[in-house]
Amino acid sequence: MSSMLTHAVRNLPAPSAWAARAFARSLGCSSQLQAAAVQPKSKKTLAKSGVKNVVVVEGVRIPFLQSGTSYADLMPHDLARAALQGLLNRTSVPRDVVDYIVYGTVIQEVKTSNVAREAALGAGFSDKTPAHTVTMACISSNQAMTTGVGMIAAGQCDVVVAGGVELMSDVPIRHSRKMRKTMLTLNRAKTLGQKLSLISKIRPDYFTPELPAVAEFSTSETMGHSADRLAAAFAISRLEQDEYALRSHTLAKKAQDGGLLLDVVPFKVPGKDTVTKDNGIRPSSMEQMGKLKPAFVKPYGTVTAANSSFLTDGASAILLMSEEKALALGYKPKAYLRDFVYVSQDPKDQLLLGPTYATPKVLEKAGLTMADIDVFEFHEAFAGQILANLKAMDSDWFAQNYMGRKSKVGAPPLDKFNNWGGSLSLGHPFGATGCRLVITAAHRLKKEGGQYGLVAACAAGGQGHAMIVELYPQ
């Protein structure tokens, strides 16, 4: 696969020239962030006969922070609870109106494996309100949202809260398997002799802990290593990756300073100050970024700490309703959630190509083309990953040889792409990112003028998700 992908780049644009044009266009469009909203174009609605319209009433997130900072002493349900409380404060929705709560997470705290339930109880929801937790790697909160969409569309619920949470500051570290087995057997031993016999078999290596790693179980390869190989396969240079990362941080900083990140709600951390904004947005310089050494494939890799998303703590929550229920309760929705798809492919060489596969499928399902999309919000796991997806989407060769398509779908124009920053700069709490993408798309549609947004993300395991967001009539 790698050799074939490497061959494929012969038919793709020259990387350095592409990066220069893309970066210049992106910086040019950033000046539009402060411009007044324009009226959206008149396009058809994607409403379907006989299918309930599902709307986003509001979406919030507590600030996304680099792991090991202000949230370090908390537990995941603390963050999720704060997001839920932020949503309740923002919307004033009565707790007893909520029919169901769904949360996504990736690295589960064993004490609160159903973090949705614990967070809901902590936020004051009735113990009669069901809640469950899903996991689908980096698209876990996407799965939480679409689970809510399905419940509402099926008539099972009218009001669902979906969200996601991740606390990378404190991840489970286990005893070795041999030690776990010994301890469990010891717990069942009935006599002192049996216990002493088991204890005598313990060896020093039993105490070596099993440290968590962001790696694929099926391949034992870290996502960073996969990103490095993907960047090499598509001839994405270190310069391109650093330029794109700088773009993300620059646009995020302008959006933050301009008050555009409306989904962020303050969080009073117990025993500490109130956190009001993301702390990973740090525009640097190409010179400084160029000094960093490869993080995964050493010494010749191109993926570094500067062009990768960082380990992040954070949580999000989004309020979904049937359109009829929202209007009956007096709410003005922000957007409709329309067609969505999930995709899955080879978890080794195509681990991070989810957006490439999902985008054409969701467009076809909705009866749209790339030209119809006014706002793109794609998850940025690594700069090399996002640039490889853009190249793959713009390649007839890749479409024909790997996607079974006659022609390419085309790459999103950079002046519509992640204009308020992305995961590289805002942060990536694995389970919480999807909700950020959706509510950002809704806010951008209103601010920038447009009707359709396309949200897409990759996920570990070679999976991906894409969804169409339609602006609610203003």
Side-chain angles (χ1 to χ4, degrees):
M1 170 69 188
S2 292
S3 60
M4 296 180 74
L5 285 179
T6 303
H7 172 75
V9 302
R10 297 174 184 173
N11 296 323
L12 298 176
S16 58
W18 183 92
R21 291 196 302 272
F23 188 57
R25 289 198 304 271
S26 69
L27 290 183
C29 79
S30 65
S31 63
Q32 301 171 5
L33 288 174
Q34 305 301 325
V38 296
Q39 291 299 314
K41 303 170 186 176
S42 177
K43 300 177 182 177
K44 67 177 182 179
T45 180
L46 297 181
K48 296 178 180 178
S49 177
V51 178
K52 281 191 175 183
N53 286 326
V54 180
V55 297
V56 174
V57 173
E58 184 60 273
V60 304
R61 61 185 178 91
I62 59 173
F64 286 177
L65 303 186
Q66 293 182 322
S67 63
T69 56
S70 294
Y71 301 156
D73 297 328
L74 302 179
M75 292 180 66
H77 75 285
D78 294 319
L79 306 190
R81 179 182 66 238
L84 288 173
Q85 290 172 332
L87 184 67
L88 293 170
N89 293 338
R90 173 83 53 99
T91 63
S92 298
V93 63
R95 289 174 173 82
D96 59 1
V97 167
V98 177
D99 299 311
Y100 209 100
I101 298 172
V102 193
Y103 252 72
T105 195
V106 178
I107 302 179
Q108 293 184 336
E109 163 60 56
V110 294
K111 293 182 179 180
T112 57
S113 57
N114 186 2
V115 69
R117 176 65 169 171
E118 304 305 331
L121 293 174
F125 283 90
S126 167
D127 57 11
K128 305 301 182 187
T129 303
H132 80 270
T133 301
V134 297
T135 186
M136 202 173 183
C138 300
I139 52 176
S140 292
S141 65
N142 305 65
Q143 181 60 251
M145 284 186 288
T146 57
T147 297
V149 169
M151 288 178 166
I152 295 171
Q156 297 298 312
C157 300
D158 283 316
V159 181
V160 174
V161 172
V165 62
E166 215 68 50
L167 183 67
M168 298 304 296
S169 290
D170 182 29
V171 295
I173 298 175
R174 304 197 300 177
H175 282 290
S176 68
R177 190 177 185 90
K178 289 184 290 186
M179 189 62 172
R180 298 199 306 270
K181 184 177 180 180
T182 300
M183 293 171 70
L184 290 171
T185 305
L186 185 63
N187 191 52
R188 295 193 296 269
K190 295 181 179 180
T191 68
L192 179 60
Q194 290 174 334
K195 293 180 180 180
L196 291 176
S197 176
L198 287 168
I199 292 173
S200 69
K201 296 178 181 179
I202 296 176
R203 298 292 179 264
D205 65 311
Y206 281 33
F207 294 95
T208 303
E210 289 184 359
L211 299 176
V214 184
E216 292 294 296
F217 180 80
S218 59
T219 65
S220 299
E221 187 174 73
T222 66
M223 291 184 69
H225 195 118
S226 296
D228 233 325
R229 289 195 302 102
L230 187 66
F234 279 90
I236 309 294
S237 69
R238 165 75 178 270
L239 176 64
E240 283 181 286
Q241 294 173 61
D242 286 351
E243 284 179 336
Y244 185 85
L246 179 58
R247 172 192 189 265
S248 183
H249 282 273
T250 300
L251 294 180
K253 180 63 175 174
K254 289 188 175 183
Q256 186 180 68
D257 292 346
L260 299 179
L261 304 182
L262 300 175
D263 56 332
V264 178
V265 293
F267 176 26
K268 175 61 175 72
V269 180
K272 298 182 180 180
D273 294 335
T274 298
V275 180
T276 60
K277 62 181 182 179
D278 308 317
N279 71 358
I281 303 174
R282 298 179 180 179
S284 182
S285 67
M286 291 297 294
E287 181 182 5
Q288 289 297 113
M289 296 170 71
K291 294 179 181 179
L292 296 183
K293 295 181 179 180
F296 300 98
V297 179
K298 303 174 182 181
Y300 302 114
T302 57
V303 174
T304 71
N307 56 43
S308 307
S309 57
F310 47 88
L311 295 179
T312 314
D313 301 333
S316 56
I318 197 164
L319 181 58
L320 308 177
M321 296 186 186
S322 64
E323 183 179 20
E324 296 86 350
K325 186 68 172 182
L327 296 179
L329 292 174
Y331 289 106
K332 176 65 179 296
K334 291 180 178 291
Y336 296 104
L337 294 187
R338 298 301 195 189
D339 291 285
F340 61 88
V341 299
Y342 288 93
V343 296
S344 186
Q345 53 274 342
D346 170 24
K348 184 173 177 62
D349 293 309
Q350 300 190 49
L351 175 69
L352 303 173
L353 288 176
T356 297
Y357 284 85
T359 295
K361 288 187 176 182
V362 79
L363 288 173
E364 290 167 1
K365 191 174 181 182
L368 301 175
T369 67
M370 290 289 277
D372 293 315
I373 304 301
D374 305 296
V375 161
F376 293 88
E377 283 292 327
F378 278 32
H379 164 45
E380 303 168 347
F382 303 88
Q385 162 261 329
I386 202 72
L387 293 175
N389 273 273
L390 298 185
K391 278 197 171 184
M393 292 169 70
D394 207 32
S395 167
D396 284 321
W397 190 95
F398 189 87
Q400 293 163 4
N401 287 273
Y402 286 98
M403 301 176 67
R405 299 177 56 83
K406 294 181 179 180
S407 60
K408 64 186 180 183
V409 66
L414 264 290
D415 60 353
K416 297 180 180 180
F417 193 83
N418 290 10
N419 283 0
W420 295 357
S423 304
L424 292 172
S425 49
L426 299 171
H428 175 39
F430 300 147
T433 291
C435 290
R436 179 191 67 77
L437 296 172
V438 166
I439 196 62
T440 299
H443 287 158
R444 282 187 56 202
L445 285 171
K446 182 177 180 180
K447 179 69 176 179
E448 299 175 4
Q451 187 168 348
Y452 300 134
L454 196 157
V455 169
C458 64
Q463 302 188 102
H465 172 257
M467 176 186 284
I468 301 296
V469 178
E470 180 182 344
L471 182 69
Y472 197 80
Q474 301 300 297

